[in-house]
Amino acid sequence: MQNNYYFLRQLTKQVETKILGLKLMECFSQEKDELVFGFAAARGKNRNYKEFYIKAVILPDFSALYFTDKFERARRNSVDLFEQLMDLEVTDVRQFQNERCFAIDFEQNFSIVFKMYGTRSNIILFHNQVVIELFHNRIVSDKNLIINQLDRTIDQSYERFLSEGKDFRKLFPTFGKVVNAQLNVGSTTWEATQKIVEQLENPHYYLVRWEHQLHLSLLPVGEIIQEFEQPIEAMNAFYIAYNKVNTLDDEKVEVLRRLTKEKKQTEVYLQNSYQRMESLDSEVKNEEIGHILMANLHQIEERAERVELFDFYRNTTISIKLRSDLSPQKNAENFYRKSKNEKIELEKIVENIESREQLLAIINGHIENIEAAENLKNLRSYLKANGLAPNTKLKIQSYRELFKRFEVEGFEILVGKNSKNNDLLTQQYAYKEDLWLHARDATGSHVVVKYKAGKKFPNAVIEAAASLAAYFSKRRNETLAPVIVTPKKFVRKPKGFADGQVIVEKEEVVMIEPKLLS
């Protein structure tokens, strides 16, 4: 909201107190998208006069202002601009009504208009209300602007609110996306809209993180980082913070958006799968119908299309639709075949649910780690290591691809590949009910046996996992090696510990022969 109309209206009031009556002493550009205005009461070699600088940053995808009492101009690579304004006094600072632009008026009918229109931002020099120079010549349409037509009158009455179907955006097009997100089109009341307007006209200023990005807001939304009383102070803090985290946030936002989309798709898939499972559970089973038919073959007439029989599963009567071209026995066989397909479908649904739940856990883990990244180096390393780098096709690896995988008596055993991979396995892919193993007093792989609901870990499975833990460790060549066995809930990683390093709070030790499973 650094270019929001309601913010600029407050900002220009304060800017006026800073520069009214001062003269423009210099105007120059050191970067192609930056323009600096230097104001002072008079010229002086030792700079003993009051000074005030406005730096305008007009990038294709970002525009903002920065204010300071001191500014050191580079000795090289800077060019003077708008030289017609030199030594002219500021006579007014005015905000255009319902527009994201304001003007600084000078003597001799000169004006500088700051048009803060997002991707179409520009700085325009007028003389006698005619455009004479543009900072960015690429925005050709700005040559046709008429300064006395920039004010925009909008009917913001209750009657119009009703006539527009309670669409507040038609009355208040300058709210901006942060404010719009706090209201619902069509269902927001006039009172709620007026309350927002009152907040915007009598604001506090907030530096916030909202939807993974840094914003200057007039409303307390998202994560509030800092609060300010004055607009210039707020704008400067936003500009400094934005420059500091801009690249980091940009890279975060891109991948977080992709992950959030993938997360929503996965959640929808899971919801549909659970609904399908529920419908299969609630329906009369095809196998049961087959049994009912087989128990009553003598009561079923040949070529019957429907039959009423006693349902001994539910102690009631059931109506069964039959194929008239099949015998009663063949109809029963047909229901048995459907039952087989039904079981296959149910097994597939359960398998897919397990896989998608693991995927959802992976996505949530990625989102949490990316949001927590505090510098660009760590973020890029994490994205590269996990195949999530910007401008690459999003590939979220299944845990089956991330770790060595074995199966014993239907139990899944996962083995870490290196220290970082061990951390990934233990911290993100192991749950408190899983079994955790590691060679005692030796470096090696973390090993996890995945828990199966309602089933104990068989001794054969524990021994196989222990053999793997010993094999993938420095104890590989020992005849018998000690291996820690404990539920994952007793394993924790304190902050500051190295990759793969953990504390085990409760353990059992088994002696086992290091062995790779065939």
Side-chain angles (χ1 to χ4, degrees):
M1 290 180 72
Q2 77 275 12
N3 297 326
N4 176 272
Y5 163 67
Y6 292 94
F7 175 72
L8 290 176
R9 195 164 69 174
Q10 302 297 327
L11 181 70
T12 50
K13 289 178 185 176
Q14 191 179 9
V15 170
E16 182 178 31
T17 66
K18 298 286 187 180
I19 65 173
L20 191 65
L22 301 186
K23 295 181 179 181
L24 186 68
M25 295 302 173
E26 53 185 340
C27 179
F28 58 90
S29 178
Q30 298 179 160
E31 304 282 345
K32 70 172 186 174
D33 294 309
E34 291 183 4
L35 187 58
V36 178
F37 297 85
F39 299 88
R43 293 188 182 276
K45 187 174 181 181
N46 296 322
R47 292 193 167 183
N48 294 323
Y49 298 101
K50 175 184 176 183
E51 293 180 332
F52 189 77
Y53 290 86
I54 302 175
K55 181 170 79 168
V57 179
I58 311 294
L59 294 161
D61 59 349
F62 174 78
S63 56
L65 302 171
Y66 180 74
F67 306 91
T68 180
D69 293 331
K70 296 185 181 298
F71 195 97
E72 293 299 326
R73 181 175 180 175
R75 295 182 180 180
R76 302 173 62 183
N77 300 322
S78 68
V79 58
D80 291 314
L81 295 173
F82 298 161
E83 294 180 275
Q84 303 95 318
L85 300 175
M86 292 306 104
D87 293 309
L88 295 184
E89 184 177 315
V90 175
T91 60
D92 195 13
V93 178
R94 55 191 168 116
Q95 174 70 45
F96 295 102
Q97 187 178 9
N98 294 309
E99 282 292 355
R100 292 174 294 163
C101 59
F102 65 93
I104 299 176
D105 293 335
F106 296 85
E107 298 173 302
Q108 301 178 20
N109 291 324
F110 282 98
S111 295
I112 284 284
V113 169
F114 292 74
K115 184 169 75 78
M116 311 302 283
Y117 283 13
T119 58
R120 297 180 294 114
S121 295
N122 205 356
I123 299 175
I124 306 150
L125 175 61
F126 287 81
H127 186 231
N128 292 325
Q129 301 189 5
V130 175
V131 175
I132 61 172
E133 193 172 341
L134 304 178
F135 178 53
H136 280 317
N137 289 305
R138 57 183 166 79
I139 308 178
V140 179
S141 60
D142 284 350
K143 294 179 180 178
N144 302 318
L145 287 178
I146 301 172
I147 194 168
N148 60 5
Q149 293 181 3
L150 288 175
D151 283 309
R152 181 167 51 150
T153 302
I154 300 175
D155 180 1
Q156 296 175 336
S157 66
Y158 176 62
E159 290 72 23
R160 183 163 178 235
F161 179 70
L162 294 178
S163 69
E164 294 290 355
K166 299 183 179 180
D167 187 349
F168 60 86
R169 297 173 303 180
K170 301 288 180 64
L171 284 73
F172 302 96
T174 55
F175 272 177
K177 67 178 183 179
V178 175
V179 177
N180 286 340
Q182 313 309 309
L183 301 168
N184 296 314
V185 175
S187 62
T188 294
T189 64
W190 177 250
E191 289 74 18
T193 304
Q194 290 303 298
K195 185 177 180 181
I196 287 287
V197 172
E198 185 179 351
Q199 284 182 274
L200 297 176
E201 291 181 342
N202 302 279
H204 283 264
Y205 309 96
Y206 304 93
L207 184 62
V208 304
R209 190 174 300 281
W210 178 74
E211 291 194 347
H212 314 302
Q213 285 187 300
L214 200 65
H215 292 271
L216 177 57
S217 174
L218 304 186
L219 302 177
V221 300
E223 176 195 349
I224 298 174
I225 299 170
Q226 208 169 349
E227 184 176 350
F228 306 92
E229 293 293 329
Q230 299 298 325
I232 286 180
E233 180 189 18
M235 175 65 96
N236 284 353
F238 167 76
Y239 178 76
I240 292 168
Y242 184 90
N243 279 340
K244 183 178 179 181
V245 303
N246 181 31
T247 306
L248 177 64
D249 274 359
D250 282 351
E251 293 197 16
K252 278 187 180 183
V253 165
E254 181 188 344
V255 71
L256 284 171
R257 280 175 181 162
R258 292 190 292 161
L259 285 168
T260 301
K261 181 180 178 182
E262 184 80 18
K263 177 180 178 178
K264 287 179 180 177
Q265 291 173 345
T266 304
E267 288 172 338
V268 169
Y269 181 91
L270 283 169
Q271 183 180 2
N272 293 338
S273 296
Y274 282 123
Q275 287 175 351
R276 177 58 181 154
M277 272 186 67
E278 189 176 336
S279 69
L280 288 173
D281 279 341
S282 62
E283 295 171 0
V284 177
K285 303 290 187 294
N286 285 305
E287 183 179 33
E288 293 173 351
I289 296 174
H291 291 335
I292 294 169
L293 289 174
M294 289 299 292
N296 295 279
L297 289 177
H298 60 285
Q299 295 185 40
I300 305 170
E301 296 179 4
E302 292 291 335
R303 301 188 180 282
E305 293 184 353
R306 184 172 292 277
V307 65
E308 301 282 335
L309 297 173
F310 178 69
D311 180 354
F312 41 76
Y313 289 99
R314 278 157 284 274
N315 199 29
T316 186
T317 301
I318 184 171
S319 177
I320 303 172
K321 186 178 179 181
L322 303 174
R323 283 182 55 179
S324 59
D325 59 326
L326 297 178
S327 68
Q329 186 165 341
K330 288 292 184 184
N331 266 296
E333 290 174 4
N334 191 40
F335 279 102
Y336 286 137
R337 180 182 54 78
K338 288 181 180 179
S339 173
K340 186 178 179 181
N341 292 338
E342 196 176 69
K343 287 179 180 178
I344 293 171
E345 181 187 2
L346 193 57
E347 288 173 1
K348 191 67 178 174
I349 289 173
V350 171
E351 182 183 331
N352 287 342
I353 285 175
E354 182 183 350
S355 175
R356 293 303 174 99
E357 284 181 338
Q358 289 280 357
L359 178 61
L360 190 59
I362 294 168
I363 293 170
N364 285 332
H366 285 323
I367 290 173
E368 184 179 339
N369 290 332
I370 290 166
E371 287 179 337
E374 295 181 349
N375 61 69
L376 202 56
K377 183 180 178 181
N378 290 347
L379 174 66
R380 286 176 173 171
S381 295
Y382 182 86
L383 297 181
K384 184 178 179 181
N386 290 279
L388 301 170
N391 303 317
T392 60
K393 188 175 180 180
L394 188 62
K395 182 186 178 184
I396 302 173
Q397 288 180 289
S398 164
Y399 71 94
R400 290 183 170 91
E401 300 173 53
L402 291 169
F403 314 108
K404 297 183 182 76
R405 180 178 176 274
F406 302 87
E407 190 171 317
V408 178
E409 295 187 11
F411 282 81
E412 192 172 37
I413 302 173
L414 303 176
V415 180
K417 297 177 180 178
N418 53 48
S419 56
K420 284 189 177 181
N421 194 244
N422 282 339
D423 265 356
L424 195 65
L425 173 58
T426 299
Q427 303 305 316
Q428 290 191 34
Y429 293 88
Y431 299 93
K432 63 180 182 179
E433 298 89 353
D434 295 341
L435 202 61
W436 187 89
L437 303 94
H438 192 280
R440 197 170 197 276
D441 299 329
T443 57
S445 294
H446 294 193
V447 175
V448 169
V449 184
K450 300 303 291 179
Y451 172 75
K452 296 184 76 171
K455 294 187 178 181
K456 291 184 177 181
F457 296 105
N459 287 335
V461 173
I462 298 173
E463 289 173 3
S467 292
L468 289 169
Y471 181 83
F472 290 104
S473 77
K474 292 289 185 181
R475 295 187 180 276
R476 176 185 295 194
N477 297 317
E478 296 181 12
T479 305
L480 289 176
V483 172
I484 296 169
V485 181
T486 188
K488 161 60 177 64
K489 64 184 177 183
F490 295 121
V491 180
R492 63 184 180 88
K493 182 183 179 70
K495 189 174 182 180
F497 268 39
D499 292 335
Q501 189 178 6
V502 296
I503 289 176
V504 180
E505 296 176 335
K506 183 179 178 181
E507 65 180 55
E508 291 183 10
V509 176
V510 298
M511 300 299 294
I512 199 77
E513 178 188 355
K515 188 166 57 176
L516 181 63
L517 302 184
S518 56

